[in-house]
Amino acid sequence: MEHIRLPKVEKVRLLDRVSPRRSRVGTLYLTATHTIFVENEAAVRSETWVLHSLVCSVEKQAATASGCSLLVRCKNFQVLHFVVPRERECHDVHLSLQRLSQPERCEELYCFSYKPNVDEEERRREWDFLDLKADYSRMGLPNSLWKLSPVNQHYKVSDTYPADLFVPQSATPPVIVGSSKFRSRGRFPTLSYYSKENHAAICRSSQPLSGFSARCLEDEQMLEAILRSNPRSDFMYVVDTRPKLNAIANRAAGKGYENEDNYSNIKFQFIGIENIHVMRNSQQKMLEACELRSPSMSDFLEGLESSGWLKHIKAVLDAAIFIAKRRGSVYWFTVQTVGIALLRCNHLVGDPKEMSPVIDQFLECAWQIMEQFPCAFEFNARFLITIHSHVYSCQYGNFIGNNQRERIALGLRERTHSLWSYLWKNKADYMNPLYRPDHRQTEGLLRPSTAPYCFKSWRGLYNRFDQGMHPRQSAEDYLSAIQEETQQLEDQLASHQRKIAQLEQEGGVTWGAVAFDKSPTAWALGSDMELANTPQDYAGGFVTSSPCQHKAPEGSLLLLTHDGNISNGSDQESGIADVSCLSPLSEDSARDPDSDEAAYSAA
Amino acid sequence: MEFAELIKTPRVDGVILHRPFMPTVEGTLCLTGHHLILSSRQDNTEELWLLHSNIDCIEKRFLGSQGRIIVKCKDLRVIQLDIPGMEECLNIASSIEALSTLDILSLMYPFFYRPMFEVLEDGWNSFLPQNAFKDLETMTDEWRLSEVNKDFSVCASYPPLVAVPKGVDDDTLRKVATFRHGGRFPVLSYYHKKNGMVMMRAGQPLAGTNGRRCKEDEKLINATLRPGKRGYIIDTRAANVAQQAKARGGGFESEANYPQWRRISKAIERSNILQESLIKLVEALNDQSHNMDRWLSKLEASNWLTHVKEILTTACLAAQCIDREGASVLVHGTEGTDSTLQVTSLAQIILDPACRTIRGFQGLVEREWLQAGHPFHQRCAQSAFSNSKPRQEAPVFLLFLDCVWQIVRQFPCSFEFSDSFLVLVFEHAYASQFGTFLGNGTAERVKLSLPQKTVSLWSWVNRPQELQRLTNPLYEANSLVIWPSVAPQSLLLWEGKQQGGGGEVTTHERGPKMRARSVGPTH
């Protein structure tokens, strides 16, 4: 609380990013956890909530006659442009937000203060929801080839690895420890995925500290053990996810890659995924293209091309396919990027250079595959977007800390809530109605095409808050509503049949007396159909309006659903996870009488 | 002329057919006057029936004594035929070339095609102007159906019956026709029931360098304005293009002579540029390098999506003027037969829920494209693969369908038809057993007696079994105006179009269905 210099500012304007004329005037509140903007003269109370931990930068611009601009950029790609009437106030808000969005101590993280209405026992159960050991036993482990090794029990061998690790049966502790000393950060080769069907395994590790000529007998033995763990294969692939040049350059720093002469029966393959610095720059450029104000098609495509982002996404997917295709043999991975960088999200004050979009890329790759196989995934794109938000929101304990050791030290299991359980409880929102596990083409291995034209820019994530850009109707939501309706009718039918059977047993049925009560749920979409949306700016000047603004609380979408401790407006927030922001059509002409005039003034 | 003269080798055995994403088929290749047929002569196997008129170009290659013909179709499919024997291959290739470039309308397949299905409703009579006018009469009495063009003497590209303001007589229309490009005087395109505003279309005014004016023209379009109201003229050309048109006798409505109208210039490209764009796009799609940078830069250089955006934006603007501004609109470019029709027809999709049904869309294509005089024969004579110098070819209609698809993507529950309906219409516009898209306008269709001698595509479509296949199961009538987003992020590449052929398929689960249909005859 001591960081809030100014809890409330009035007459603040929130500018519409694409159309400055559609700004809204209201009051800005700073709380311990959120920035809240409440619009003054809206027919429906309209609030924008932004979690402090989602704020990635706050920029104060020079004061002008109309006020002082404050640009708040969020990690979920929301950009808020406030204009605060007095510079002094703007200065205070700026400093407060800067401090609030960059907690200095772990205890300040939102997950430690986030207290939904859940009792302690239930909270503890949340963490049991996802059990990694169960996941391994689904893969059929441990078995005669792979065993659980206690070697990293106290994080002595590798502090970035978890305590429970699977290694080949023949790998002895001295071999493991020896191998770990030859690897960056002690990340020795360990099992990531095992296929029951053909004994093929995916292992991962960091790069070897080979320099120009160093070798390590234990490391060679370790790889030999992995090779032998698949009795059906006499060689294995070693996949280095870096471009070859980077790997060669690293030799000068005493690191590098495996020398094929020292390891028997390995096939070495570089895949060419760029390092996190390149990725970060690329993502930044891609976001700039997505944020352009009324760009032409060429502006946008040029921006997309020069960012190289889709090229990197394709490279990651190509790598995944390379590995999936070679399931027949044992292979393992030098996950230089994925493993280490996965959780560098800069929750605390730190060097922003350490931030990496690797998790973004993973989620995007999943989305690109989903686009090609709409029936193969049980979840929908909203599921991926929600995970993305929470990787950065610090609301749940799952993504806090960089590794298991840190997470245990922070007592996350004891003090915070788990996202997976939240997602599971709200699974109705994240189910893909098209999911067909028995589909011929989606059974087992998917074979996505990586022809360049199969890749799309993920509007749903990167332009998530530009509501005018999204489809106005969602076939998936429509189908989900139908599925729900059908289920209810079937339940009703069953209950009526039971009643009939009962009455028949009692004898003397009077059919007319059976009243058919209509299903209580109204067609969610039917009612929204009555609403109209508004046109965009088609005349080339200002965009007149974007639809769906009447009730969509854009800021805190999906993040605040159980936020009980802020009484103000939490009722409206609680319904956020419904389809309101994705609903087909909405009328905002009432609140936007000047939209057309605005459009033509430019014509 | 006998087709037999052009067929050097009517039959070759042991030909292997390769199609992307489908199993290869070995069989007998037959050439008939209109079709290339490949059949394995076994039960339950698919036969390939390809209209010669669908072939855009062929490429020959030789591997030893084995010949290979790559057939590239106007509907963007690409197939490969491996033919044993060099001579057979050469004969087949030259026969296909001769048959596929026959440019005599009366020899086209629709004149020879006899339907194997029962015609429930003759599509030629389904969308007559007089019927459309009856609907209009239930809404307003301010318009009349003029027969001034009954012998096509006033405007060669108009149908015999057109709707004009009631207070304007035929003599005035004749005078106006002399002042508009191609005699295309302003006619009613759409009446917006909600507020009584109208959309008209025309050819450019022939103002010339000395700024000729025509009082009758002014009178005609002013007759559509409510007292004290202003209207909008949407010129589909960039301002400088409209200016330059004056030197060639064309031009635009000057503010002095049309004080009640406000002109808006939008830059929709002309046909030869659109054709080049399609060629570049298809080239990019078939690029084998699998390089992302190259793809994006080629996609951008093709400008295809730029054209989609521009056309869609202009249509939205026209719709916005009518629905939101409560103003009447006149749309024209130069001839009034291409970009004008893209804009007027898309605006109706946006404004009028009826156009979003299967039947309503057919009516729209009839009214705003076929009867409105879009020269289909000239525009669709060649497609993206053709090597010969383009004459008047342009994917004007394909761009319209692409724009419709973009709106469908944004409102997936508001259209009665599915993607495959749009693909079907696209394919039949380029090559068909039906007479619907033959010729360049009503005059030519009447001269060729198409309604008597050929079958209409709509006769085939409007049968329960076909309709069922083309229906969008998610459709729920939406009586509202639908405003699409035209942001670059909102516009996508239409996959269905490339699935017809292209190299590869993007959406695996939907692909096979679409391709299976496009192969083989429809009877």
PDB file of all heavy atoms in Angstrom, chain B residues 251-263:
ATOM      1  N   GLY B 251     -14.708  10.631 -67.348  1.00  0.00           N
ATOM      2  CA  GLY B 251     -14.614  11.619 -66.288  1.00  0.00           C
ATOM      3  C   GLY B 251     -15.506  11.299 -65.109  1.00  0.00           C
ATOM      4  O   GLY B 251     -15.800  10.135 -64.840  1.00  0.00           O
ATOM      5  N   PHE B 252     -15.892  12.361 -64.415  1.00  0.00           N
ATOM      6  CA  PHE B 252     -16.696  12.159 -63.210  1.00  0.00           C
ATOM      7  C   PHE B 252     -17.671  13.323 -63.036  1.00  0.00           C
ATOM      8  O   PHE B 252     -17.584  14.325 -63.772  1.00  0.00           O
ATOM      9  CB  PHE B 252     -15.799  12.022 -61.982  1.00  0.00           C
ATOM     10  CG  PHE B 252     -14.798  13.132 -61.839  1.00  0.00           C
ATOM     11  CD1 PHE B 252     -15.132  14.304 -61.163  1.00  0.00           C
ATOM     12  CD2 PHE B 252     -13.516  13.031 -62.392  1.00  0.00           C
ATOM     13  CE1 PHE B 252     -14.222  15.334 -61.037  1.00  0.00           C
ATOM     14  CE2 PHE B 252     -12.604  14.055 -62.265  1.00  0.00           C
ATOM     15  CZ  PHE B 252     -12.956  15.214 -61.582  1.00  0.00           C
ATOM     16  N   GLU B 253     -18.570  13.193 -62.105  1.00  0.00           N
ATOM     17  CA  GLU B 253     -19.585  14.201 -61.865  1.00  0.00           C
ATOM     18  C   GLU B 253     -18.942  15.397 -61.168  1.00  0.00           C
ATOM     19  O   GLU B 253     -18.385  15.261 -60.085  1.00  0.00           O
ATOM     20  CB  GLU B 253     -20.711  13.639 -60.985  1.00  0.00           C
ATOM     21  CG  GLU B 253     -21.506  12.495 -61.626  1.00  0.00           C
ATOM     22  CD  GLU B 253     -20.813  11.147 -61.492  1.00  0.00           C
ATOM     23  OE1 GLU B 253     -19.689  11.098 -60.960  1.00  0.00           O
ATOM     24  OE2 GLU B 253     -21.391  10.143 -61.925  1.00  0.00           O
ATOM     25  N   SER B 254     -19.041  16.574 -61.793  1.00  0.00           N
ATOM     26  CA  SER B 254     -18.425  17.749 -61.174  1.00  0.00           C
ATOM     27  C   SER B 254     -19.315  18.258 -60.048  1.00  0.00           C
ATOM     28  O   SER B 254     -20.539  18.100 -60.084  1.00  0.00           O
ATOM     29  CB  SER B 254     -18.236  18.842 -62.216  1.00  0.00           C
ATOM     30  OG  SER B 254     -19.497  19.351 -62.576  1.00  0.00           O
ATOM     31  N   GLU B 255     -18.670  18.884 -59.086  1.00  0.00           N
ATOM     32  CA  GLU B 255     -19.418  19.371 -57.936  1.00  0.00           C
ATOM     33  C   GLU B 255     -20.422  20.445 -58.350  1.00  0.00           C
ATOM     34  O   GLU B 255     -21.524  20.529 -57.814  1.00  0.00           O
ATOM     35  CB  GLU B 255     -18.429  19.941 -56.903  1.00  0.00           C
ATOM     36  CG  GLU B 255     -18.754  19.528 -55.496  1.00  0.00           C
ATOM     37  CD  GLU B 255     -17.726  20.069 -54.521  1.00  0.00           C
ATOM     38  OE1 GLU B 255     -16.535  19.742 -54.697  1.00  0.00           O
ATOM     39  OE2 GLU B 255     -18.109  20.824 -53.619  1.00  0.00           O
ATOM     40  N   ALA B 256     -20.036  21.258 -59.345  1.00  0.00           N
ATOM     41  CA  ALA B 256     -20.899  22.350 -59.769  1.00  0.00           C
ATOM     42  C   ALA B 256     -22.220  21.825 -60.327  1.00  0.00           C
ATOM     43  O   ALA B 256     -23.282  22.381 -60.046  1.00  0.00           O
ATOM     44  CB  ALA B 256     -20.179  23.188 -60.830  1.00  0.00           C
ATOM     45  N   ASN B 257     -22.130  20.754 -61.111  1.00  0.00           N
ATOM     46  CA  ASN B 257     -23.348  20.239 -61.731  1.00  0.00           C
ATOM     47  C   ASN B 257     -24.130  19.289 -60.836  1.00  0.00           C
ATOM     48  O   ASN B 257     -25.305  19.040 -61.072  1.00  0.00           O
ATOM     49  CB  ASN B 257     -23.009  19.526 -63.042  1.00  0.00           C
ATOM     50  CG  ASN B 257     -22.400  20.485 -64.040  1.00  0.00           C
ATOM     51  OD1 ASN B 257     -22.568  21.707 -63.920  1.00  0.00           O
ATOM     52  ND2 ASN B 257     -21.681  19.946 -65.017  1.00  0.00           N
ATOM     53  N   TYR B 258     -23.458  18.731 -59.851  1.00  0.00           N
ATOM     54  CA  TYR B 258     -24.121  17.783 -58.950  1.00  0.00           C
ATOM     55  C   TYR B 258     -23.960  18.248 -57.511  1.00  0.00           C
ATOM     56  O   TYR B 258     -23.336  17.575 -56.698  1.00  0.00           O
ATOM     57  CB  TYR B 258     -23.535  16.369 -59.129  1.00  0.00           C
ATOM     58  CG  TYR B 258     -23.732  15.787 -60.514  1.00  0.00           C
ATOM     59  CD1 TYR B 258     -22.861  16.094 -61.559  1.00  0.00           C
ATOM     60  CD2 TYR B 258     -24.790  14.913 -60.769  1.00  0.00           C
ATOM     61  CE1 TYR B 258     -23.047  15.569 -62.824  1.00  0.00           C
ATOM     62  CE2 TYR B 258     -24.980  14.378 -62.033  1.00  0.00           C
ATOM     63  CZ  TYR B 258     -24.108  14.702 -63.064  1.00  0.00           C
ATOM     64  OH  TYR B 258     -24.288  14.176 -64.323  1.00  0.00           O
ATOM     65  N   PRO B 259     -24.520  19.426 -57.181  1.00  0.00           N
ATOM     66  CA  PRO B 259     -24.263  19.991 -55.845  1.00  0.00           C
ATOM     67  C   PRO B 259     -24.851  19.152 -54.712  1.00  0.00           C
ATOM     68  O   PRO B 259     -24.426  19.273 -53.576  1.00  0.00           O
ATOM     69  CB  PRO B 259     -24.934  21.367 -55.919  1.00  0.00           C
ATOM     70  CG  PRO B 259     -25.971  21.235 -56.983  1.00  0.00           C
ATOM     71  CD  PRO B 259     -25.427  20.256 -57.981  1.00  0.00           C
ATOM     72  N   GLN B 260     -25.812  18.309 -55.041  1.00  0.00           N
ATOM     73  CA  GLN B 260     -26.417  17.531 -53.957  1.00  0.00           C
ATOM     74  C   GLN B 260     -25.679  16.225 -53.705  1.00  0.00           C
ATOM     75  O   GLN B 260     -26.098  15.417 -52.893  1.00  0.00           O
ATOM     76  CB  GLN B 260     -27.878  17.216 -54.299  1.00  0.00           C
ATOM     77  CG  GLN B 260     -28.784  18.422 -54.157  1.00  0.00           C
ATOM     78  CD  GLN B 260     -30.118  18.139 -54.812  1.00  0.00           C
ATOM     79  OE1 GLN B 260     -30.260  18.199 -56.033  1.00  0.00           O
ATOM     80  NE2 GLN B 260     -31.091  17.806 -53.993  1.00  0.00           N
ATOM     81  N   TRP B 261     -24.608  16.014 -54.432  1.00  0.00           N
ATOM     82  CA  TRP B 261     -23.890  14.755 -54.305  1.00  0.00           C
ATOM     83  C   TRP B 261     -22.464  14.989 -53.841  1.00  0.00           C
ATOM     84  O   TRP B 261     -21.811  15.930 -54.252  1.00  0.00           O
ATOM     85  CB  TRP B 261     -23.881  14.008 -55.646  1.00  0.00           C
ATOM     86  CG  TRP B 261     -25.260  13.599 -56.054  1.00  0.00           C
ATOM     87  CD1 TRP B 261     -26.193  14.379 -56.676  1.00  0.00           C
ATOM     88  CD2 TRP B 261     -25.878  12.336 -55.819  1.00  0.00           C
ATOM     89  NE1 TRP B 261     -27.354  13.677 -56.854  1.00  0.00           N
ATOM     90  CE2 TRP B 261     -27.189  12.412 -56.336  1.00  0.00           C
ATOM     91  CE3 TRP B 261     -25.453  11.150 -55.225  1.00  0.00           C
ATOM     92  CZ2 TRP B 261     -28.081  11.337 -56.270  1.00  0.00           C
ATOM     93  CZ3 TRP B 261     -26.333  10.085 -55.167  1.00  0.00           C
ATOM     94  CH2 TRP B 261     -27.640  10.183 -55.683  1.00  0.00           C
ATOM     95  N   ARG B 262     -22.010  14.103 -53.002  1.00  0.00           N
ATOM     96  CA  ARG B 262     -20.634  14.177 -52.549  1.00  0.00           C
ATOM     97  C   ARG B 262     -19.876  12.987 -53.116  1.00  0.00           C
ATOM     98  O   ARG B 262     -20.311  11.848 -52.981  1.00  0.00           O
ATOM     99  CB  ARG B 262     -20.627  14.112 -51.019  1.00  0.00           C
ATOM    100  CG  ARG B 262     -19.272  14.331 -50.471  1.00  0.00           C
ATOM    101  CD  ARG B 262     -19.343  14.755 -49.033  1.00  0.00           C
ATOM    102  NE  ARG B 262     -18.020  14.611 -48.452  1.00  0.00           N
ATOM    103  CZ  ARG B 262     -17.766  14.650 -47.167  1.00  0.00           C
ATOM    104  NH1 ARG B 262     -18.750  14.834 -46.314  1.00  0.00           N
ATOM    105  NH2 ARG B 262     -16.553  14.520 -46.724  1.00  0.00           N
ATOM    106  N   ARG B 263     -18.769  13.285 -53.773  1.00  0.00           N
ATOM    107  CA  ARG B 263     -18.005  12.205 -54.410  1.00  0.00           C
ATOM    108  C   ARG B 263     -16.954  11.631 -53.470  1.00  0.00           C
ATOM    109  O   ARG B 263     -16.254  12.374 -52.782  1.00  0.00           O
ATOM    110  CB  ARG B 263     -17.298  12.719 -55.671  1.00  0.00           C
ATOM    111  CG  ARG B 263     -18.061  12.436 -56.957  1.00  0.00           C
ATOM    112  CD  ARG B 263     -17.252  12.882 -58.144  1.00  0.00           C
ATOM    113  NE  ARG B 263     -16.265  11.892 -58.525  1.00  0.00           N
ATOM    114  CZ  ARG B 263     -14.953  12.058 -58.460  1.00  0.00           C
ATOM    115  NH1 ARG B 263     -14.456  13.189 -58.027  1.00  0.00           N
ATOM    116  NH2 ARG B 263     -14.139  11.112 -58.844  1.00  0.00           N
TER     117      ARG B 263
END
